Amino acid sequence: MATRGFTGRPSGGDQSERIPPGQHLVDYFPVLTAGPTPNIEPGDWKFTLKIGPRPVKAWNWAEFNSLPMTKMTRDIHCVTSWSKLNTAWEGVLIDDILADAGVEHPTDFLLAHSFDGYSTNVPLADLASGKAMVALKYEGKAIPRDHGGPARLLVPHLYFWKSAKWVNGLQFTERDEPGFWELRGYHIYGDPWKEQRYSGD
Ligand SMILES: Nc1nc2c(c(=O)[nH]1)N[C@H]1C(S)=C(S)[C@@H](COP(=O)(O)O)O[C@H]1N2
Ligand SMILES: [Mo]
């Protein structure tokens, strides 16, 4: 690739190479929520891991906060066409949640569930191996409530609807079961680089 000269771009390379097709860059942080924003006090917070209908482990806020913390800075891509670069998160890798529960690979698929009734499906391969986390902090601070605080899923390599806000559980499922938006016409997988916006894309 030809040198582009001293344009002051970050060492990550040309920014335009980081914007998937059909997306445009924003520098603010839009809020997108299907319903009202829930208010979850730490004392009411609980995160449950299930295999099918069977709960295998649950953590309260203090227990969850004592799990290993990992930082992750990633670009995010919303299906409504905005992308935001270098968003900085801190939280618990899905790998570390599964390890704490002593669960490895009961099935290939999961549903994430949220306090507002939202759900979204993600294959285990896209949650494990350091790819995804339950984030507890954004830009060094508690995640603002409208962005999913106190805790949200972060699956940055898929469209942002997969990053369930106010997440309160992960459930292994036998099959790839559509969640809230996937039942309403969004793509079952949602790879922004393949523009998998709607079912049929
Ligand atoms: N629980 C819950 N999570 C959710 C949503 C929602 O309505 N409820 N909206 C999704 C959609 S469509 C997007 S684009 C992102 C938006 O996250 P943001 O509001 O922090 O930008 O959250 C996703 N996670
Ligand atoms: Mo979205």
Side-chain angles (χ1 to χ4, degrees):
M1 184 153 178
T3 176
R4 289 169 187 269
F6 298 100
T7 54
R9 290 187 175 109
S11 55
D14 187 339
Q15 279 196 348
S16 64
E17 289 172 7
R18 290 165 63 181
I19 312 297
Q23 297 290 111
H24 69 276
L25 205 55
V26 298
D27 53 15
Y28 61 105
F29 196 171
V31 170
L32 283 114
T33 306
T37 294
N39 190 3
I40 307 117
E41 299 297 332
D44 299 328
W45 191 89
K46 185 179 163 192
F47 186 92
T48 306
L49 179 70
K50 293 183 180 177
I51 300 175
R54 182 169 65 89
V56 277
K57 184 149 185 170
W59 297 260
N60 66 25
W61 183 246
E63 290 161 348
F64 201 83
N65 275 267
S66 71
L67 296 175
M69 293 292 154
T70 301
K71 289 181 179 169
M72 211 186 246
T73 297
R74 294 287 185 280
D75 303 342
I76 54 177
H77 312 288
C78 175
V79 73
T80 61
S81 89
W82 57 267
S83 291
K84 184 171 173 60
L85 302 184
N86 300 318
T87 64
W89 305 87
E90 186 173 344
V92 184
L93 291 179
I94 307 306
D95 304 291
D96 290 325
I97 297 172
L98 299 182
D100 194 60
V103 168
E104 273 179 19
H105 194 151
T107 73
D108 288 342
F109 303 104
L110 293 98
L111 274 170
H113 297 282
S114 297
F115 282 97
D116 61 339
Y118 188 84
S119 61
T120 188
N121 59 305
V122 188
L124 178 60
D126 292 274
L127 292 177
S129 310
K131 285 185 170 162
M133 63 163 50
V134 170
L136 306 176
K137 286 184 177 176
Y138 174 68
E139 307 286 1
K141 286 179 265 179
I143 300 175
R145 203 152 67 87
D146 52 0
H147 286 299
R152 81 177 294 164
L153 191 65
L154 176 70
V155 192
H157 65 288
L158 300 178
Y159 278 124
F160 209 38
W161 87 76
K162 298 287 184 181
S163 293
K165 303 196 279 191
W166 315 292
V167 68
N168 67 0
L170 286 172
Q171 177 185 26
F172 281 94
T173 57
E174 279 307 324
R175 290 166 218 292
D176 199 7
E177 287 183 28
F180 180 87
W181 280 121
E182 295 83 8
L183 284 168
R184 290 163 177 80
Y186 280 24
H187 196 277
I188 193 77
Y189 182 65
D191 181 345
W193 295 96
K194 295 182 178 159
E195 276 210 87
Q196 294 173 339
R197 297 175 192 275
Y198 309 108
S199 61
D201 284 353

